[in-house]
């Protein structure tokens, strides 16, 4: 079992009957969905879920996990997802995929937000390894790019996987991948929240409640 899977299995074992569980997106979230499905099958665990992405909903339904539409849900018991970067104070960077908007919506609406990682995701500051994704309304990208530059950052429009077109999120937004030399996440979060034309961004500040880090057969919980 790899470290991500170890963290996912551990978290899945903490889910109890009657919970409404938010499903994240990515390879780690996939391990969690598989572990939940196994508990449902073997232990008759009774849960409902809501998904942060079409792809996770497809996977969960294929494994017979009940998935509610996001429109049916006002609050969740727990949202469980991976992350691209995690700092010691539980600030996250997310959004390498195309589902940032729903990921942050579910994380914000949940009583608890559990983050599943391996040690490669631990960083000393956000933006250390990856750019900060900023989802923008398609027609606003130049205006937002200028505002990012005024803040001292620089950014480029994300291309699709083939590099022959622009990346479009599941929400229909374009993505600016931004770099900032130095700015604390609290300040940057506030600035990005206030730029018109920004739909959502990848800094998850004060949302995560527990970090599960799998490493060599042991899961450390913070
Ligand atoms: C997608 C995300 C993912 O949670 C993040 O990219 C981690 O992915 P993985 O579990 O595949 O390492 O934020 O938007």
């Amino acid at each position: 079992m790899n470290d991500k899977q170890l963290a996912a299995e551990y978290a899945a074992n903490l889910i109890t009957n009657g919970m409404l569980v938010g499903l994240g997106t990515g390879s780690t979230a996939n391990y969690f969905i598989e572990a939940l499905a196994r508990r449902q099958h073997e232990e008759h665990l009774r849960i409902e879920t809501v998904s942060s992405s079409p792809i996770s909903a497809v996977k969960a339904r294929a494994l017979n996990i009940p998935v509610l539409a996001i429109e049916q849900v006002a609050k969740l018991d727990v949202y469980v997802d991976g992350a691209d970067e995690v700092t010691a104070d539980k600030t996250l960077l997310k959004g390498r995929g195309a589902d940032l908007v729903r990921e942050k919506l579910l994380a914000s609406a949940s009583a608890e937000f559990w983050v599943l990682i391996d040690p490669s995701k631990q960083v000393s500051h956000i933006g250390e390894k990856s750019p900060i994704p900023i989802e923008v309304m398609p027609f606003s990208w130049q205006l937002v790019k200028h505002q990012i530059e005024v803040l001292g950052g620089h950014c480029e429009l994300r291309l699709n996987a083939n590099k022959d077109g622009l990346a479009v999120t599941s929400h229909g937004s374009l993505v600016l991948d931004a770099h900032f030399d130095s700015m604390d996440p609290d300040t940057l979060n506030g600035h990005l929240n206030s730029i018109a034309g920004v739909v959502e961004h990848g800094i998850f500040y004060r949302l995560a409640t527990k970090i599960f880090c799998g490493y060599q057969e042991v899961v450390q919980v913070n």
Side-chain angles (χ1 to χ4, degrees):
M1 195 178 289
N2 67 42
D3 293 338
K4 288 178 177 181
Q5 191 174 4
L6 193 68
E9 296 276 342
Y10 188 100
N13 280 327
L14 300 178
I15 301 296
T16 54
N17 278 331
M19 277 186 165
L20 175 54
V21 182
L23 305 175
T25 301
S27 60
T28 321
N30 281 342
Y31 288 129
F32 177 75
I33 294 169
E34 286 161 15
L36 268 190
R38 200 173 325 110
R39 286 201 60 208
Q40 200 184 241
H41 182 67
E42 291 173 3
E43 300 170 34
H44 308 291
L45 178 71
R46 285 179 293 100
I47 50 160
E48 287 184 307
T49 69
V50 57
S51 177
S52 61
S53 63
I55 186 76
S56 292
V58 166
K59 182 172 180 74
R61 288 195 177 110
L63 294 170
N64 294 319
I65 294 175
V67 183
L68 301 176
I70 199 163
E71 292 85 346
Q72 292 174 273
V73 168
K75 58 188 171 80
L76 290 74
D77 294 302
V78 61
Y79 177 61
V80 187
D81 201 353
D84 299 314
E85 295 184 355
V86 180
T87 63
D89 72 352
K90 301 192 182 75
T91 302
L92 315 178
L93 184 69
K94 288 184 53 55
R96 188 181 44 79
D99 299 292
L100 183 55
V101 170
R102 271 180 280 201
E103 288 177 354
K104 200 179 275 189
L105 260 179
L106 295 185
S108 307
S110 192
E112 294 198 43
F113 175 17
W114 298 348
V115 184
L116 314 176
I117 60 167
D118 64 21
S120 71
K121 306 295 181 76
Q122 291 170 324
V123 294
S124 61
H125 65 273
I126 286 304
E128 188 175 300
K129 295 182 178 171
S130 316
I132 297 167
I134 303 174
E135 275 204 38
V136 296
M137 292 177 200
F139 50 80
S140 74
W141 74 268
Q142 283 278 24
L143 293 163
V144 175
K145 184 171 193 278
H146 177 70
Q147 292 298 317
I148 301 295
E149 286 161 1
V150 168
L151 289 174
H154 58 96
C155 55
E156 51 295 318
L157 268 178
R158 188 183 290 180
L159 301 181
N160 66 13
N162 288 333
K163 311 275 183 230
D164 58 0
L166 297 175
V168 179
T169 71
S170 65
H171 188 65
S173 317
L174 299 181
V175 182
L176 290 167
D177 281 317
H179 302 263
F180 293 85
D181 282 342
S182 64
M183 199 179 298
D184 71 274
D186 186 6
T187 307
L188 188 52
N189 181 49
H191 282 317
L192 296 179
N193 285 345
S194 68
I195 298 177
V198 169
V199 178
E200 198 47 272
H201 61 82
I203 299 177
F204 283 49
Y205 184 68
R206 294 201 171 144
L207 288 173
T209 53
K210 278 199 181 106
I211 310 292
F212 297 80
C213 183
Y215 182 54
Q216 292 186 346
E217 324 260 305
V218 177
V219 177
Q220 198 177 30
V221 185
N222 285 312

